[in-house]
Amino acid sequence: MIDGLSYGLMIVGLIFWFWGTLPLVGDRSVLFKLHSLSVSDTLGSMSMIAGLLLKIPREWPLLILALISLAIWNTVLGYVLAYCSYRDEDDD
Amino acid sequence: MNGIIIAMLLALLIPIYEAYRDSHIWQKMLAFASIATKTSMMILVVSVLRDDWMIGVVGVLILSVGNAALMLLAHVIKRSDEAGVYEP
Amino acid sequence: MIDLWNEENLYIVAIAALLPLTAGLVIVQVNPYFALVMRGILGAVAALVYALFGAADVALTEALVGTMLSITLYAIAVRSSLIMRLGIIEPDLPPEDLLQTLRQPLRPYHLRLELVPYPDQESLQAALQDKEVHGICFSPNPEITHIPYEIQTRVPRLYQILSGHLPLETMARLNPTPEFTPTNSL
């Protein structure tokens, strides 16, 4: 039961990954890609880590640390990339 | 579990192809950000698969520190953009 | 020792194949900034491969030194070396379209143009003599010549790059580089 749930969470994470990464190949603007990428990458990775946590609860400090750093860093990185690339988008 | 890693590998190939294809510097940076997250997640999954703490710690460290490199690089590129109208 | 050709471990071979792939992508990049981003991707993939083979310490070093430190240092080095410093006189700045035309021949070489302002003609010439700038741009006395701007560079290679550019020659006069002697070399 727990095993099935953890596999389910990981597969949900994979679906998120593909859903967010596939728009990267198109010719959309940087900000559009950044939005779909940061949302889906963070959510997908977090659901994957939750799946791993259910699989091996013994390593919880490590996985919780990964969860927190993922949430914080990816959000900050999204902001920094958007801020840095914004001036370029002006003249498009 | 092997199937999940193969699927993650396929997801990793998409941004690599994008980084090769697109000749706009910020699109490449986006692909780099995506790859950095994906590789460290793969390290974490492999560490749980093998039940190896050591690799897991490395995965978490790369996950949290790898993004710092990206931010530094983004700022340097932004500043050379401003100073010299560096057009990609 | 991991048995690589066991069906269970085939994914290791697939992931390890990413390493030569991304390394090849680094080599084919022409633009130095693109090559830096590609080097970052190579570093991330390399850390993954090293961790996969159980070398946790090598993977950590690759991520921290090989990717983070070396990319930042190289980015700063590329930024400060691929540059042409052009001295100008502060009150009468050269028009923006002249600067845009000047950037065109520099672009294929990924050179940036940095403007260094000086208060008057004497300090501008002195800066060129003292090698503070690679070239200077000034408007000569209008009674002698009808061309509004003159560009003088002390680097023969820059003169070579700029002199073949036709739109620039209609907008400003490019003075030839002085004879190459040990005293005016880089």
Side-chain angles (χ1 to χ4, degrees):
Chain A
M1 168 42 193
I2 295 267
D3 220 33
L5 194 62
S6 89
Y7 273 117
L9 275 173
M10 274 191 248
I11 286 167
V12 166
L14 271 176
I15 292 170
F16 264 115
W17 267 23
F18 276 104
W19 176 60
T21 317
L22 280 176
L24 211 62
V25 182
D27 283 324
R28 301 296 292 270
S29 74
V30 172
L31 289 183
F32 173 83
K33 289 181 182 177
L34 180 66
H35 175 74
S36 73
L37 195 69
S38 59
V39 169
S40 73
D41 253 19
T42 313
L43 285 182
S45 303
M46 284 169 90
S47 104
M48 269 181 189
I49 292 180
L52 294 178
L53 199 59
L54 285 179
K55 212 168 172 61
I56 303 186
R58 190 165 42 82
E59 288 190 15
W60 66 267
L62 189 69
L63 292 175
I64 292 289
L65 183 66
L67 209 63
I68 293 172
S69 67
L70 194 73
I72 294 175
W73 274 109
N74 265 22
T75 319
V76 174
L77 182 69
Y79 272 111
V80 168
L81 274 183
Y83 165 75
C84 287
S85 66
Y86 183 66
R87 202 191 58 85
D88 265 18
E89 291 301 299
D90 265 357
D91 38 16
D92 274 0
Chain B
M1 211 59 183
N2 271 354
I4 285 178
I5 291 188
I6 296 288
M8 289 170 102
L9 177 64
L10 289 180
L12 182 63
L13 280 176
I14 301 171
I16 290 181
Y17 169 70
E18 159 72 13
Y20 166 69
R21 187 190 65 105
D22 212 306
S23 59
H24 188 276
I25 187 85
W26 292 110
Q27 307 268 9
K28 274 186 199 283
M29 287 294 286
L30 266 188
F32 180 22
S34 172
I35 289 170
T37 312
K38 284 182 169 56
T39 47
S40 44
M41 275 307 297
M42 284 172 84
I43 295 177
L44 262 181
V45 171
V46 168
S47 83
V48 171
L49 175 70
R50 292 191 190 161
D51 203 2
D52 189 342
W53 258 95
M54 206 167 63
I55 299 177
V57 170
V58 170
V60 173
L61 277 178
I62 293 176
L63 192 65
S64 52
V65 179
N67 285 336
L70 252 160
M71 288 178 208
L72 287 172
L73 187 59
H75 271 101
V76 173
I77 290 177
K78 176 185 160 63
R79 285 185 55 185
S80 38
D81 248 7
E82 273 170 359
V85 193
Y86 155 73
E87 286 288 321
Chain C
M1 184 64 206
I2 309 167
D3 180 17
L4 284 184
W5 301 110
N6 185 350
E7 224 168 276
E8 280 286 292
N9 289 324
L10 216 55
Y11 71 93
I12 294 182
V13 180
I15 291 175
L18 283 178
L19 198 57
L21 178 77
T22 46
L25 289 185
V26 178
I27 294 171
V28 297
Q29 298 300 316
V30 180
N31 187 318
Y33 289 97
F34 290 1
L36 278 179
V37 177
M38 278 299 184
R39 176 64 183 81
I41 292 172
L42 171 65
V45 171
L48 169 66
V49 172
Y50 297 155
L52 217 60
F53 285 107
D57 48 348
V58 186
L60 193 59
T61 312
E62 173 66 37
L64 293 184
V65 179
T67 307
M68 194 169 96
L69 193 63
S70 82
I71 282 188
T72 314
L73 291 183
Y74 269 118
I76 294 168
V78 165
R79 196 182 109 79
S80 44
S81 61
L82 284 176
I83 194 169
M84 173 186 177
R85 286 164 66 82
L86 185 72
I88 51 171
I89 298 176
E90 184 70 282
D92 47 57
L93 293 168
E96 191 54 37
D97 59 333
L98 173 63
L99 295 179
Q100 288 298 338
T101 321
L102 191 57
R103 282 186 182 115
Q104 280 170 16
L106 296 178
R107 191 158 296 154
Y109 299 94
H110 309 292
L111 280 170
R112 292 189 299 119
L113 187 70
E114 189 185 288
L115 301 177
V116 189
Y118 287 97
D120 50 38
Q121 183 77 28
E122 285 74 39
S123 53
L124 195 65
Q125 293 288 351
L128 190 68
Q129 287 291 322
D130 298 342
K131 292 168 189 165
E132 281 175 28
V133 290
H134 297 122
I136 53 176
C137 177
F138 54 94
S139 52
N141 200 340
E143 285 139 34
I144 304 170
T145 169
H146 63 282
I147 292 176
Y149 280 96
E150 268 187 52
I151 296 173
Q152 169 90 47
T153 171
R154 64 176 172 83
V155 186
R157 178 66 182 138
L158 274 178
Y159 176 71
Q160 237 175 44
I161 290 172
L162 294 178
S163 61
H165 194 70
L166 278 177
L168 182 66
E169 285 180 353
T170 59
M171 298 178 77
R173 201 175 69 192
L174 190 63
N175 292 335
T177 324
E179 200 60 34
F180 185 79
T181 58
T183 47
N184 75 355
S185 67
L186 282 173

